Amino acid sequence: MIRLFIAETTPPFADGLIFPLNPDQARYVAAVMRLGEGDEISVFNGRDGEWRGRLQSVSKKHVHVELIVQTRAQPAAGNAPKLLIALVKRARLEAIIEKATELGAGEIQLLITRRTNADHTNVARLQLIAQEAAEQTERLDVPQVLAPVKLEAHLKTAAEILIYGDEDSTHETGERTIPPMLEALSGLGEGAVSILIGPEGGFDAVERQTLSALPNAVAVNLGPRILRADTAAISALTLYQAVKGDWK
Ligand code: SAM
């Protein structure tokens, strides 16, 4: 069954509520998926859970939906990990957004670091990618993709536990100074968590110095090889969800 995220503008979901799909969704339902009056779809809005709806007055441009029944209640907002991701090339960034949404990231903050080397960032497009991934993975919410800010500026306000992938840990000879992520997670307290992954060029010495001096920051190693930023983000989120998150 087609599953669509309905934006904030629609009134709270309730039995019999009738509302229009937005033009893109109407075209998708009517022209692409060729659904007609009486056909049913699944909708969610990030607030009122998931509902089954029946299509009313379908035309190529306009589709109205009448809500029939709630199929899943909205869970209380949990402690989903926030992903802090340094900007990387567009295709890789889009993949990171999609996978982070699938893996249950609560929010995705784009970051500008000293070695950031990225294309123009189309945040609206990235938000749509997160929405489509949320629709696909049967999430009941869509993580917000937050416009790029400078890493230093973000660190000034960040109060949550900050787990950051430090690839420098792979260059050691002999004794390991940065714990493997699993070990670091087992010693972690409760509370909101952010996972920070650096740019393709890595963090520079000043950033590494700043991070290591933060009382709420934990450097982690993601294995002996240098992972691309997208692989590092997916690995870190997977480990977090398995040990501390909603895979437990
Ligand atoms: N420029 C770095 C280098 O060549 O040494 C590689 C940076 S890596 C492509 C991008 C980011 O992924 C890093 O800043 C780090 O956050 C994370 N990362 C990659 N491999 C890692 C590892 N083995 N351990 C911890 N973090 C890693």
Side-chain angles (χ1 to χ4, degrees):
M1 183 181 288
I2 289 176
R3 197 166 178 274
L4 296 176
F5 173 71
I6 306 300
E8 304 282 320
T9 48
T10 305
F13 285 0
D15 265 356
L17 174 74
I18 298 181
F19 60 90
L21 292 180
N22 72 36
D24 292 337
Q25 291 174 327
R27 204 176 11 263
Y28 172 68
V29 163
V32 180
M33 302 308 285
R34 300 189 175 288
L35 296 187
E37 265 178 55
D39 286 334
E40 296 185 356
I41 63 170
S42 178
V43 293
F44 66 109
N45 63 2
R47 303 187 313 267
D48 307 315
E50 181 184 77
W51 288 66
R52 203 159 67 244
R54 185 173 299 118
L55 303 186
Q56 311 279 342
S57 61
V58 175
S59 73
K60 286 233 170 343
K61 290 210 177 91
H62 303 289
V63 174
H64 282 73
V65 178
E66 176 179 5
L67 294 183
I68 306 167
V69 62
Q70 185 183 51
T71 46
R72 284 196 289 164
Q74 190 74 31
N79 242 340
K82 183 173 180 174
L83 178 66
L84 310 176
I85 188 74
L87 294 178
V88 291
K89 289 263 179 282
R90 195 179 89 154
R92 217 172 276 286
L93 187 57
E94 292 183 359
I96 291 170
I97 301 294
E98 182 185 81
K99 301 309 167 198
T101 302
E102 291 181 43
L103 289 166
E107 222 173 33
I108 302 166
Q109 172 67 68
L110 305 174
L111 291 175
I112 300 162
T113 61
R114 291 157 171 259
R115 290 183 179 155
T116 288
N117 151 22
D119 316 317
H120 161 66
T121 309
N122 180 339
V123 178
R125 175 175 163 73
L126 297 175
Q127 188 62 57
L128 205 53
I129 289 170
Q131 180 179 318
E132 284 165 11
E135 288 168 347
Q136 289 289 329
T137 53
E138 308 226 342
R139 279 183 71 149
L140 287 169
D141 66 339
V142 178
Q144 213 188 338
V145 181
L146 302 167
V149 295
K150 286 211 162 137
L151 173 63
E152 289 93 29
H154 180 83
L155 293 179
K156 288 204 180 81
T157 57
E160 71 278 7
I161 298 168
L162 181 66
I163 300 170
Y164 67 99
D166 188 342
E167 77 278 5
D168 213 34
S169 51
T170 63
H171 299 330
E172 292 142 27
T173 52
E175 45 71 55
R176 179 184 292 283
T177 53
I178 294 178
M181 182 158 178
L182 273 185
E183 192 183 305
L185 287 176
S186 56
L188 215 60
E190 292 311 311
V193 163
S194 284
I195 294 171
L196 166 62
I197 298 295
E200 292 307 341
F203 297 114
D204 79 353
V206 177
E207 288 164 337
R208 195 167 272 114
Q209 176 54 37
T210 309
L211 285 164
S212 59
L214 285 176
N216 59 325
V218 182
V220 299
N221 172 264
L222 293 170
R225 290 165 293 280
I226 302 277
L227 309 176
R228 304 296 298 260
D230 50 343
T231 317
I234 294 167
S235 315
L237 279 168
T238 302
L239 288 173
Y240 180 83
Q241 293 292 35
V243 178
K244 300 285 285 182
D246 62 8
W247 291 9
K248 269 193 317 191

